[in-house]
């Protein structure tokens, strides 16, 4: 069987991408062969095209850190031919051939059967950003946070992770306060369920080590000074789920939120999430995701031939919304 694939090759310091026709034997080992229906560009896919990057660990490489499609061959009980599935994270698209191709072969323990209500297209629209949102909420719930704990602040709220988090929390009955630097998106965030929208600086500077106890919990997609401020203003016994670093990867804080207010800082990692937890959370997602909003999150659909140009735009931050890849185009 032959199929098209977007392949990155490395020569010296330069990395180039082109659409090639490959034979099935070019795929890496795995128990499950999938006909790819959709993939989507994540920032990490653009990173693997940058010379000197430390993200890609094998060349030649088919990028694409997430994909959905239909199983055409499976050597694993519970995963059968014809089943619609999703794969994201682990080594996909960084050390193992990923989703920018007509077919993918992957280890069975990376495969998530898609809940019946989610199409393969919707699976990639929700994607890693949506999964980060559901995992952040799961971390808070596991810590004992409920709607009675108080308002939940979501930072970086207009972004992919933030906007899905706002919608999920509102759907689950939490009072959501969205923090966003984009005034133009305030109405959108309210329409997703935010009861209030505040700017990026969500407390007035008071020079104190601990700030006012405002939030029952925080979902922080920003990091840096924003995460420090979240820790300073979360209520006694509350928690902060931290996933992002758009505002910086350093954290300057004190021990006081932890030792005076018993605050918990909960890490969110979507790459190596154990597969049983990932599968269960996708079922949770199927029930809570605002499906009517899905098309608002898509900016365009392209074929493999449009990838070089589109990946460049993602690197230059010129894209809003998700670029879906249909390898059959
Ligand atoms: N932990 C994981 O496994 C995991 C998985 C997926 C993503 N992530 C990370 O999560 C973060 C969010 O991802 P995303 O897909 O939602 O990204 P995104 O769509 O680019 O959104 C990020 C948001 O952060 C805010 N922001 C940007 N620059 C900022 C700055 N300098 N200071 C404060 N806020 C700033 C903006 O929101 P406003 O304009 O509304 O303020 C922006 O929309 C990223 O850092 C990403 O790498 C982590």
């Amino acid at each position: 069987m032959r199929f098209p694939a977007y392949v990155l090759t490395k020569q010296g310091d330069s990395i180039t991408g082109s659409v090639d026709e490959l034979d099935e034997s070019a795929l890496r080992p795995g128990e499950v062969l999938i006909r790819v229906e959709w993939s989507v560009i994540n920032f990490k896919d653009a990173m693997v095209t940058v010379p000197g990057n430390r993200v890609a660990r094998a060349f030649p490489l088919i990028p694409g850190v997430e994909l959905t499609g239909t199983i055409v061959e499976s050597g694993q009980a519970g995963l059968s031919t014809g089943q619609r599935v999703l794969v994201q994270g682990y080594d996909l698209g960084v050390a193992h051939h990923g989703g920018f191709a007509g077919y993918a072969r992957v280890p069975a323990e990376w495969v998530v059967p898609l809940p019946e209500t989610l199409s393969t297209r919707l699976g990639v629209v929700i994607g890693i950003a949506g999964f980060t949102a559901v995992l952040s909420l799961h971390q808070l719930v596991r810590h004992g946070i409920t709607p009675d704990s108080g308002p939940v602040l979501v930072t970086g709220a207009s972004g992919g992770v933030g906007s899905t988090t706002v919608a999920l929390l509102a759907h689950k009955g939490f009072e959501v306060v969205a923090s966003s630097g984009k005034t133009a998106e305030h109405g959108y965030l309210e329409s997703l369920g935010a009861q209030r929208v505040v700017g990026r600086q969500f407390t007035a500077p008071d020079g104190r080590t601990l700030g006012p106890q405002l939030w029952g919990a925080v979902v922080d997609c920003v990091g840096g000074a924003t995460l420090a401020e979240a820790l300073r203003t979360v209520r006694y016994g509350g928690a902060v789920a931290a996933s992002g670093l758009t505002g910086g990867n350093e954290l300057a804080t004190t021990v006081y939120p932890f030792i005076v207010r018993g605050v918990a800082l909960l890490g969110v990692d979507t790459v190596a999430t154990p597969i049983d937890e990932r599968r269960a959370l996708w079922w949770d997602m199927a029930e809570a995701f605002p499906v009517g909003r899905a098309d608002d999150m898509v900016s365009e659909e392209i074929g493999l031939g449009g990838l070089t140009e589109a990946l460049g735009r993602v690197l230059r931050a010129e894209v809003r919304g998700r670029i879906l890849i249909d390898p059959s185009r």
Side-chain angles (χ1 to χ4, degrees):
M1 179 200 29
R2 294 186 71 74
F3 59 90
Y6 183 78
V7 183
L8 292 176
T9 46
K10 189 176 175 196
Q11 268 187 332
D13 284 342
S14 92
I15 296 174
T16 38
S18 60
V19 180
D20 294 345
E21 196 172 272
L22 299 185
D23 186 80
E24 193 186 327
S25 60
L27 292 174
R28 305 246 161 88
E31 297 81 27
V32 184
L33 181 66
I34 298 166
R35 183 171 57 76
V36 179
E37 289 171 24
W38 293 100
S39 186
V40 59
I41 301 182
N42 281 280
F43 193 73
K44 208 168 175 181
D45 300 316
M47 289 289 303
V48 300
T49 68
V50 177
N53 79 81
R54 288 160 173 250
V55 182
R57 303 203 307 280
F59 286 97
L61 176 71
I62 302 173
V65 297
E66 61 183 326
L67 63 90
T68 57
T70 306
I71 296 180
V72 290
E73 237 177 72
S74 168
Q76 181 75 22
L79 295 170
S80 47
T81 305
Q83 203 168 6
R84 293 170 318 106
V85 292
L86 168 142
V87 187
Q88 60 182 188
Y90 309 110
D91 283 344
L92 192 74
V94 293
H96 188 103
H97 287 326
F100 297 169
Y103 284 84
R105 192 189 291 120
V106 298
E109 65 269 23
W110 294 2
V111 177
V112 177
L114 272 173
E116 231 163 64
T117 51
L118 294 185
S119 64
T120 50
R121 185 175 181 281
L122 191 51
V124 290
V125 174
I126 297 171
I128 289 173
F131 185 70
T132 311
V134 82
L135 188 54
S136 302
L137 175 55
H138 176 67
Q139 293 286 62
L140 295 182
V141 169
R142 194 153 60 180
H143 186 72
I145 301 295
T146 69
D148 291 335
S149 305
V152 179
L153 177 75
V154 180
T155 63
S158 75
V161 178
S163 55
T164 313
T165 305
V166 169
L168 280 175
L169 284 167
H171 177 83
K172 297 271 185 187
F174 288 86
E175 178 187 341
V176 186
V177 178
S179 158
S180 174
K182 299 188 190 79
T183 316
E185 302 291 343
H186 286 199
Y188 170 63
L189 291 166
E190 280 165 2
S191 76
L192 289 181
Q195 296 209 352
R196 211 155 40 95
V197 185
V198 295
R200 283 189 188 168
Q201 193 172 331
F202 42 84
T203 46
D206 60 8
R208 291 166 181 260
T209 309
L210 288 169
Q213 300 192 44
L214 301 174
W215 326 111
V218 180
V219 175
D220 177 56
C221 315
V222 173
T226 306
L227 176 54
E229 189 61 8
L231 288 166
R232 208 178 72 91
T233 52
V234 78
R235 286 182 188 169
Y236 186 91
V240 179
S243 63
L245 42 66
T246 49
N249 62 6
E250 292 189 347
L251 176 59
T253 186
T254 69
V255 296
Y256 292 112
F258 311 110
I259 68 172
V260 174
R261 290 191 179 158
V263 166
L265 177 55
L266 309 171
V268 177
D269 165 62
T270 58
V271 176
T273 311
I275 190 65
D276 289 343
E277 192 176 346
R278 189 185 295 277
R279 288 173 180 158
L281 286 171
W282 268 94
W283 283 87
D284 203 23
M285 174 77 84
E287 176 261 322
F289 187 79
V291 174
R293 289 281 169 184
D295 278 327
D296 299 352
M297 298 177 186
V298 178
S299 62
E300 58 199 289
E301 290 177 8
I302 61 172
L304 297 174
L307 269 167
T308 299
E309 188 274 335
L311 287 164
R313 277 189 287 135
V314 169
L315 271 182
R316 295 190 298 274
E318 291 171 4
V319 176
R320 185 187 179 281
R322 320 264 289 154
I323 301 178
L324 306 193
I325 316 299
D326 172 358
S328 70
R329 278 193 179 203

